[in-house]
Amino acid sequence: MPEWRRSLLRLWSSRTARAGALLVLLYLGAAVFAGLAPREPREIDQTKRLKPPAAGHWLGTDELGRDVLSRVLHGSRLSLLIGLLSVGAALAVGVPLGLAAGECGGVVDLVLMRCVDVLLAFPGILLALAIMAVLGPSLTNLMLAVAAVNVPVYARQVRASVLQVRSLDYVLSARALGASRLRVVLRHILPNIAGPIIVLATLGIGTAILEAAGLGFVGLGVEKDAPEWGTMLASAREYVLSHPWVVLAPGVAASLAILGFNLLGDGLRDWLDTRAAAR
Amino acid sequence: MKRMRTAVLGLLAAVCAAGCGKSDPSVETGTIVYGRGADSKSLDPQAIEDGESVNVVSQIFDTLVAFEAGTTRVEPALATSWTASADGLSWEFAIRPGVQFHDGTACDAAAIAWNFRRLLDSKSPDRHGMGEPPYGFLYEGIEGCEARGAAVVFTLKAPNAAFLANLAMFPASISSPAAVGQWKSDYGRHPVGTGPFRFGSWAPNQKIVLEANAGHWGGAPKAAKVIFAVIPENSVRLQRLKAGELHIIDGVSPSEFDGVRAEASLRLLLEPGMNFSYLAFNTEREPWNRPEVRRAVASALDKKEIIALAYSGAGTPAVNPLPPTIWGWNGSIQDRPYDPAGAKKALADLGVAGKELDLYVMPNPRGYVPNPANVGAVVKQRLEAAGLKPRLLSPPWEGGLYVGELKEGKHDIALIGWITDNGDPDNFLFTLFHSSAIPDQNHARYRSAEFDDLVSRAQRETAPEKRAELYRRAQERIFEDAPILPLVYMPNVAAVRANVEGYVLHPMGLVRLKGVSLKK
């Protein structure tokens, strides 16, 4: 059996990773196939207000008679978009910053890391709230805010990893052979620190979904009628006792998605650790 | 150990006794318990502005004239009749003879004039550090007030159509000069008036107890005692009403309406209020500057659907920019029918199909709209069905941001509303649509010389019937030009025990407990 298959099998044998992967797959499936949802997520029907789950409306309807299942499915698409794009954006900015700080050291490191410290000193949700308040509520700004909150986290992690590997023999040999700084960073350092970044990004998607729902809940997310989980929770919260399905559906969906990414992230970390130990 | 057990038992017994006593206050016959969300701040009628203070003050005090049940017209109270001079600048009120304050002093013309001097004169020593009355601005047009024999005479700086209505409002309540002199800056905790109930006691943040004034000039109240109890949580208040600990509550959330309706021991009271919500078109922007486009949008919306989905079914479709509770309301105007297909076709014919627009919807509830987000969702959906492309925007209400953007004219269509201060049609029609109110409350940026002339003439007219006619014509203009689309008249709401009799909600939101009793 080739090395990579054995390695993947080991990942699969971890119960944590398996559960996480299943939840994430379920969630990805929901997002991809949201177009097949039984109803238009914004379709209002005053004759079907707050109907409990039944055939035709498997998760019931909300206070505007909209189909909760369709809204939750479309919500997964929105939250996946927010999670992936905002983590992508945070990586795109945070990784180069961390690489530069770790590799260059000196003044560059000092300046970059002090900026990161300042950003980290703010509670994430407060920073996101401030950014949203300045930029105004919209989907793009929501993703920007969530990304901005996560940039310092990635920058710091990447820098720490760079410092770990930069004085290892294989890096020193590459430098001694005359490789350019850029080449050393991109070909020798980055691939070897990818593990922790992948773990962090996986966990980060879960966090991003949570942050986006939080902003949606306080009314700074997407449009008021958008099928976004946080926004749905906010508008449904007064029905939590009388018509619980309106709150349960988006709440459980968000919890499962976040749980999935967290379990997968944990599983990946264990896997990478054991791989490192085996080496 | 034994002593300990006895103490615990004793405590339990005490708690139980207190609890049992509390659970049924109507054991004391004729006690009405009114549950509300917050305590009063003061009971000095001139020093207050919050509804919780006003609601208690309205039981303890009388005014010269009072709002009739169900309308904003005024009727005699401490004054039995009144006459105005031809120029509208001098008003003489004949004072009801023989009325006494709760402290036994006489409520005569001199005492009444004294109250208005305290209200109007910022240097009056009788204010005892109260500061400027929050609602003093309503009375700025009064030049002076003096007692002339058994009458009180007001001189005005300019004719003011809303003068009588303002005299019926709570700041014009008549206090006992002797009591104000006795309690000075503490008068707000020891109010003395002539009203149907006298002040009993006040346990801050718990309850205020009032006792019947059997000698009230209008007859004795039916209840012997009234308790205003503070229960901050809406849901807890409703629970205690269900348990029979309270008889009347306010602040019922629309989401709880169905629950109250389903309970046989309770009744939900809904009465038309003094407000309306509307969509304001930005009439300075293409294509909303064309009345035919605005009228087409009007028939794309079903107000009944909006009421069912965003008002929990409590509300009346609004036709005019003035609720029916206000005199001068034009009842002959027939609303445009809901006609989605016709609207879509009309908008296409007018060349605005596919038009993108910014639809402003405030993020939190207002007194005239309990769930703006749902109104926004419904309106957006129906405009989309009519071929438009709306985008929902909800800048924060706090800090004046929402209204600020409306004043800058950033909206295409905006959800907004109005609750009147004094129940006068001028406070709707002039305030919201006169061209001089751009960019203040005229969010539609409506300019019409003909309309301006109608409401300006109405301001100077003192004959009520002629004024009403001018306002009816002004409403026809608004309906025809459609600078706004009136949506819903939101009712005032209370829930009562089924055995409560004689409680009637007033359109002004006034609480009046004089005629209330409990059926055995």
Side-chain angles (χ1 to χ4, degrees):
Chain A
M1 198 186 300
E3 167 73 23
W4 64 269
R5 275 192 66 182
R6 231 179 318 152
S7 184
L8 269 187
L9 264 181
R10 207 168 50 243
L11 175 61
W12 189 245
S13 70
S14 145
R15 220 181 295 170
T16 320
R18 207 161 57 213
L22 279 178
L23 283 174
V24 169
L25 276 179
L26 187 71
Y27 168 67
L28 292 179
V32 171
F33 296 109
L36 301 178
R39 293 264 148 50
E40 222 304 286
R42 302 187 200 226
E43 183 188 310
I44 286 166
D45 186 345
Q46 65 161 308
T47 61
K48 291 188 180 151
R49 254 185 109 233
L50 293 168
K51 292 273 183 276
H57 296 282
W58 296 107
L59 294 180
T61 58
D62 69 4
E63 81 271 26
L64 294 182
R66 297 174 293 200
D67 183 46
V68 173
L69 175 64
S70 305
R71 289 179 69 73
V72 167
L73 288 178
H74 278 268
S76 66
R77 184 177 276 189
L78 257 181
S79 70
L80 179 69
L81 189 74
I82 296 168
L84 286 183
L85 287 184
S86 60
V87 167
L91 281 175
V93 180
V95 171
L97 285 181
L99 286 175
E103 170 66 18
C104 301
V107 182
V108 178
D109 185 27
L110 191 75
V111 172
L112 285 177
M113 283 306 113
R114 288 304 82 74
C115 294
V116 162
D117 283 344
V118 169
L119 286 176
L120 280 176
F122 281 101
I125 193 80
L126 191 67
L127 185 62
L129 275 175
I131 294 171
M132 291 295 283
V134 173
L135 296 179
S138 79
L139 186 60
T140 325
N141 294 344
L142 177 67
M143 291 190 287
L144 278 179
V146 174
V149 169
N150 290 310
V151 163
V153 182
Y154 295 114
R156 186 149 277 259
Q157 172 66 44
V158 170
R159 172 182 174 272
S161 304
V162 171
L163 290 183
Q164 259 176 20
V165 300
R166 63 176 296 197
S167 49
L168 292 182
D169 289 347
Y170 67 91
V171 177
L172 294 178
S173 336
R175 283 197 214 282
L177 286 171
S180 74
R181 194 171 233 188
L182 193 63
R183 190 182 164 82
V184 169
V185 168
L186 293 183
R187 292 296 299 272
H188 300 280
I189 296 184
L190 189 56
N192 283 291
I193 61 168
I197 301 179
I198 291 172
V199 171
L200 200 61
T202 312
L203 294 171
I205 294 177
T207 319
I209 294 172
L210 185 65
E211 277 163 0
L215 287 173
F217 188 81
V218 297
L220 282 175
V222 288
E223 258 185 293
K224 288 277 173 205
D225 65 336
E228 195 272 321
W229 291 342
T231 314
M232 288 169 73
L233 281 173
S235 65
R237 66 177 183 272
E238 55 181 311
Y239 300 101
V240 65
L241 291 179
S242 54
H243 307 86
W245 59 89
V246 207
V247 183
L248 278 177
V252 169
S255 310
L256 288 182
I258 296 163
L259 183 68
F261 279 104
N262 285 353
L263 291 177
L264 184 62
D266 282 349
L268 278 174
R269 178 165 45 210
D270 296 345
W271 176 59
L272 287 166
D273 280 354
T274 49
R275 219 171 54 145
R279 199 167 49 212
Chain B
M1 189 65 200
K2 197 171 182 187
R3 222 184 320 162
M4 180 81 166
R5 197 181 302 161
T6 322
V8 169
L9 278 178
L11 198 66
L12 270 178
V15 168
C16 183
C20 301
K22 219 189 244 169
S23 70
D24 191 6
S26 56
V27 167
E28 270 178 275
T29 44
T31 298
I32 309 283
V33 189
Y34 184 104
R36 56 193 186 145
D39 202 5
S40 303
K41 297 204 169 74
S42 162
L43 297 178
D44 178 347
Q46 296 189 5
I48 59 176
E49 55 184 324
D50 61 305
E52 301 302 358
S53 301
V54 175
N55 288 349
V56 180
V57 157
S58 311
Q59 321 308 320
I60 305 175
F61 293 91
D62 287 312
T63 41
L64 279 177
V65 293
F67 292 112
E68 279 176 19
T71 76
T72 57
R73 258 188 231 102
V74 298
E75 61 182 6
L78 287 177
T80 50
S81 63
W82 53 91
T83 50
S85 64
D87 60 4
L89 289 177
S90 174
W91 292 70
E92 181 167 333
F93 293 81
I95 302 304
R96 192 177 293 277
V99 177
Q100 282 189 346
F101 288 108
H102 302 148
D103 61 4
T105 57
C107 177
D108 52 16
I112 291 169
W114 178 92
N115 271 273
F116 281 95
R117 282 198 299 278
R118 179 172 183 249
L119 181 62
L120 300 172
D121 178 10
S122 56
K123 291 189 202 76
S124 164
D126 299 315
R127 286 192 178 179
H128 301 293
M130 168 180 76
E132 221 28 66
Y135 269 78
F137 67 91
L138 288 177
Y139 308 93
E140 278 166 0
I142 301 177
E143 177 80 50
C145 170
E146 57 180 279
R148 210 173 283 167
V152 169
V153 179
F154 289 89
T155 10
L156 306 189
K157 294 169 187 164
N160 176 359
F163 171 64
L164 267 182
N166 290 342
L167 285 189
M169 287 191 57
F170 65 90
S173 299
I174 305 302
S175 286
S176 156
V180 175
Q182 181 191 348
W183 294 102
K184 299 197 166 60
S185 62
D186 212 21
Y187 174 66
R189 299 256 148 192
H190 304 274
V192 177
T194 58
F197 292 92
R198 70 176 76 230
F199 176 73
S201 63
W202 188 347
N205 289 319
Q206 291 175 34
K207 60 179 182 180
I208 293 176
V209 181
L210 308 181
E211 284 149 14
N213 170 19
H216 190 248
W217 53 266
K222 293 198 171 147
K225 207 187 237 188
V226 165
I227 297 173
F228 282 89
V230 179
I231 299 106
E233 276 291 320
N234 279 5
S235 53
V236 177
R237 200 156 56 243
L238 183 58
Q239 282 309 321
R240 293 187 56 181
L241 182 76
K242 282 183 186 163
E245 296 170 27
L246 306 171
H247 301 113
I248 306 173
I249 61 168
D250 56 24
V252 187
S253 316
S255 62
E256 284 166 334
F257 287 179
D258 289 339
V260 176
R261 287 190 185 112
E263 194 89 17
S265 65
L266 305 183
R267 270 189 303 141
L268 186 68
L269 304 183
L270 296 167
E271 287 293 332
M274 304 259 288
N275 61 75
F276 79 114
S277 56
Y278 61 97
L279 294 174
F281 295 97
N282 185 344
T283 61
E284 285 179 356
R285 271 195 190 182
E286 178 60 41
W288 322 112
N289 54 354
R290 291 186 268 157
E292 54 276 21
V293 174
R294 307 194 292 253
R295 286 192 290 260
V297 170
S299 49
L301 293 178
D302 182 4
K303 295 172 187 175
K304 291 210 179 80
E305 180 188 47
I306 293 174
I307 291 167
L309 291 175
Y311 284 75
S312 295
T316 324
V319 187
N320 296 325
L322 190 69
T325 45
I326 308 258
W327 61 269
W329 180 70
N330 191 330
S332 63
I333 296 178
Q334 290 298 312
D335 206 356
R336 297 181 177 88
Y338 169 52
D339 176 13
K344 186 172 187 181
K345 184 176 178 303
L347 288 169
D349 292 345
L350 289 162
V352 290
K355 166 81 185 160
E356 292 184 358
L357 66 110
D358 283 345
L359 174 61
Y360 274 65
V361 171
M362 65 287 274
N364 31 1
R366 309 293 308 155
Y368 44 79
V369 48
N371 196 330
N374 282 357
V375 175
V378 177
V379 170
K380 181 179 165 186
Q381 178 97 148
R382 294 301 161 230
L383 294 187
E384 272 174 359
L388 301 173
K389 288 193 176 144
R391 181 169 73 123
L392 285 175
L393 290 176
S394 301
W397 184 272
E398 290 78 18
L401 285 175
Y402 184 84
V403 174
E405 299 208 359
L406 263 48
K407 286 182 180 175
E408 287 174 40
K410 288 187 174 174
H411 58 294
D412 287 298
I413 302 179
L415 175 65
I416 189 80
W418 188 247
I419 305 175
T420 176
D421 299 319
N422 60 8
D424 195 276
D426 176 70
N427 188 239
F428 284 89
L429 295 169
F430 188 96
T431 313
L432 302 181
F433 302 105
H434 192 270
S435 59
S436 68
I438 306 171
D440 284 331
Q441 300 295 345
N442 189 343
H443 299 305
R445 307 184 156 243
Y446 174 62
R447 287 172 206 274
S448 157
E450 190 190 337
F451 178 88
D452 282 2
D453 178 58
L454 285 170
V455 289
S456 302
R457 266 161 60 202
Q459 264 188 342
R460 295 188 298 269
E461 181 62 61
T462 49
E465 202 27 60
K466 283 185 189 159
R467 275 189 82 203
E469 180 51 32
L470 289 168
Y471 287 132
R472 280 194 283 271
R473 282 170 57 196
Q475 287 163 76
E476 280 164 15
R477 274 276 34 95
I478 295 288
F479 182 76
E480 207 41 51
D481 287 347
I484 65 153
L485 172 57
L487 289 180
V488 180
Y489 303 126
M490 168 96 173
N492 294 327
V493 185
V496 301
R497 304 272 318 160
N499 65 342
V500 168
E501 287 188 328
Y503 186 59
V504 184
L505 288 171
H506 191 272
M508 296 274 285
L510 302 171
V511 172
R512 291 172 165 175
L513 299 176
K514 187 183 169 191
V516 180
S517 61
L518 298 177
K519 196 164 56 184
K520 289 275 155 54

